[in-house]
């Protein structure tokens, strides 16, 4: 999917404005409220105080996305940038009024500078995207070891057609194993986690005979695990982690780690040196 075709708002997080001051100590369906945040950044013309209520929809696992109602694990400035990404008001050129130099990406000029383009496509921050992915992969592998799996990372293998493919993680326990491929994607629609899982199955299921023979296994499942680029942990991801015996704590840590990586990518794109890891030829 081209980034400019991606919708500007993913329904995993929702918000609404109200003139009524919320009770932040209540245990209502709303997880977070902040004074005038979206109004200020989206319009910057309202003088009256408004409140914006954020809440998780049924698409995501609320406990794993609790960062949205506090900044535990994030600095205050990181938290503010994260909320801007969730509300799609980060200062990218595609946002009306943010640029006098057009809407093309300031780094690669190949696409409209949207948040999905910056976090998932722009070659200027390719190295940082790899770092973000590798950090999540390593966290998941180490967590699997702590619950009794033997976990190997970046194992090269052969598909049945003879092509070479490298898996992120193979987690082995007893005579069975899981091939796990954590993938960070910009959140676009509710079925996306299941589509990512199907995509990874198509890619890596042809390698199952190779890894069965390599590790003397009787059964292997392939699971594609999507983590949202804006810190979203889908229910699909959380439920698979639960089945693997991983705790809520590690799932929350993965969400924060992916989010911090995205914040670094955004800041590097907006404010980094022109001598970045990508240059126009």
């Amino acid at each position: 999917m081209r980034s400019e075709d991606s919708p500007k708002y993913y329904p995993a997080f929702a918000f609404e404005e109200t003139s009524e001051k919320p009770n932040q100590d209540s245990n209502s369906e709303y997880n977070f409220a902040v004074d005038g945040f979206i109004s200020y950044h989206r319009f910057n013309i309202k003088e009256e105080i408004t409140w914006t209520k954020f809440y998780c929809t049924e698409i995501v696992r609320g406990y794993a996305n609790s960062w949205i109602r506090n900044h535990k694990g994030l600095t205050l400035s990181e938290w503010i940038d994260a909320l801007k990404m969730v509300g799609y008001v980060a200062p990218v050129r595609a946002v009306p009024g943010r640029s006098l130099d057009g809407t093309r990406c300031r780094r690669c000029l190949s696409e409209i500078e949207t948040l999905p383009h910056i976090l998932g496509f722009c070659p200027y921050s390719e190295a940082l995207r790899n770092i973000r992915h590798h950090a999540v992969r390593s966290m998941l592998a180490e967590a699997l070891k702590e619950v009794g799996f033997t976990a190997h990372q970046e194992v090269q293998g052969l598909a049945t057609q003879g092509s070479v493919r490298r898996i992120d993680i193979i987690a082995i326990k007893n005579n069975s194993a899981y091939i796990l491929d954590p993938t960070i994607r910009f959140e676009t629609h509710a079925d996306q986690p299941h589509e990512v899982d199907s995509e990874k199955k198509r890619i890596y299921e042809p390698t199952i005979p190779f890894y069965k023979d390599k590790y003397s296994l009787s059964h292997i499942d392939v699971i594609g695990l999507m983590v949202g680029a804006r810190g979203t942990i889908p229910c699909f991801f959380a439920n698979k982690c639960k089945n693997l015996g991983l705790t809520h704590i590690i799932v929350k840590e993965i969400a924060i780690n992916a989010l911090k990586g995205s914040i670094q990518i955004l800041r590097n794109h907006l404010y980094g040196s022109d001598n970045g890891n990508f240059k126009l030829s």
Side-chain angles (χ1 to χ4, degrees):
M1 178 183 288
R2 303 287 286 179
S3 62
E4 59 259 44
D5 295 332
S6 299
K8 290 188 176 182
Y9 196 75
Y10 177 62
F13 295 116
F15 64 86
E16 62 176 287
E17 292 183 358
T18 176
S19 59
E20 180 182 355
K21 182 176 180 179
N23 178 8
Q24 298 188 50
D25 297 325
S26 68
N27 238 346
S28 68
E29 63 179 309
Y30 301 111
N31 298 114
F32 172 71
V34 61
D35 184 6
F37 183 85
I38 293 297
S39 295
Y40 176 80
H41 286 285
R42 190 179 292 273
F43 305 106
N44 204 25
I45 57 175
K46 292 189 175 182
E47 295 183 359
E48 71 272 17
I49 294 178
T50 58
W51 294 86
T52 300
K53 295 179 178 179
F54 285 85
Y55 56 95
C56 296
T57 70
E58 69 279 0
I59 299 167
V60 301
R61 180 61 65 203
Y63 75 82
N65 299 281
S66 59
W67 64 264
I68 202 168
R69 62 178 180 267
N70 61 64
H71 60 89
K72 185 178 182 180
L74 300 169
T75 67
L76 185 58
S77 63
E78 286 175 334
W79 186 52
I80 291 172
D81 282 345
L83 293 176
K84 289 179 182 178
M85 290 195 298
V86 168
Y88 212 91
V89 292
V92 302
R93 287 185 169 184
V95 175
R98 298 305 309 191
S99 173
L100 299 177
D101 298 319
T103 59
R104 285 281 160 183
C105 176
R106 71 193 74 191
R107 301 298 183 181
C108 70
L109 303 178
S110 65
E111 297 185 18
I112 295 173
E113 189 182 272
T114 61
L115 191 57
H117 170 71
I118 293 171
L119 298 184
F121 295 92
C122 184
Y124 181 78
S125 294
E126 181 177 0
L128 289 177
R129 282 197 298 274
N130 288 337
I131 291 171
R132 179 183 64 179
H133 168 266
H134 295 343
V136 168
R137 183 200 66 212
S138 296
M139 290 179 68
L140 187 58
E142 291 304 314
L144 289 165
K145 291 177 183 179
E146 291 180 2
V147 294
F149 285 92
T150 300
H152 305 285
Q153 300 182 56
E154 291 196 304
V155 183
Q156 187 169 286
L158 291 175
T160 51
Q161 302 88 347
S163 59
V164 177
R165 299 181 188 176
R166 181 177 295 176
I167 59 174
D168 271 348
I169 301 170
I170 182 165
I172 303 169
K173 183 180 285 188
N174 300 325
N175 209 27
S176 300
Y178 297 94
I179 292 174
L180 303 173
D181 195 290
T183 302
I184 301 174
R185 299 280 176 89
F186 190 90
E187 308 91 330
T188 57
H189 54 283
D191 292 330
Q192 191 179 12
H194 297 276
E195 292 172 3
V196 167
D197 179 52
S198 298
E199 172 192 326
K200 300 303 180 179
K201 281 178 166 55
R202 288 193 299 271
I203 295 172
Y204 295 114
E205 281 184 346
T207 67
I208 287 178
F210 174 86
Y211 291 111
K212 277 186 175 181
D213 183 64
K214 179 179 177 68
Y215 294 108
S216 301
L217 299 169
S218 62
H219 182 76
I220 298 177
D221 282 330
V222 177
I223 306 175
L225 295 170
M226 175 193 150
V227 179
R230 293 177 289 177
T232 306
I233 293 294
C235 287
F236 182 89
F237 183 100
N239 291 338
K240 292 297 182 183
C241 286
K242 181 179 179 180
N243 293 341
L244 292 168
L246 303 183
T247 66
H248 289 185
I249 294 174
I250 186 63
V251 176
K252 291 172 67 174
E253 289 176 350
I254 287 172
I256 291 294
N257 195 284
L259 182 59
K260 289 170 77 76
S262 293
I263 293 167
Q264 185 179 11
I265 291 168
L266 177 63
R267 290 176 174 178
N268 180 64
H269 187 95
L270 296 178
Y271 314 118
S273 167
D274 289 337
N275 298 319
N277 56 20
F278 173 75
K279 292 183 179 179
L280 292 172
S281 58

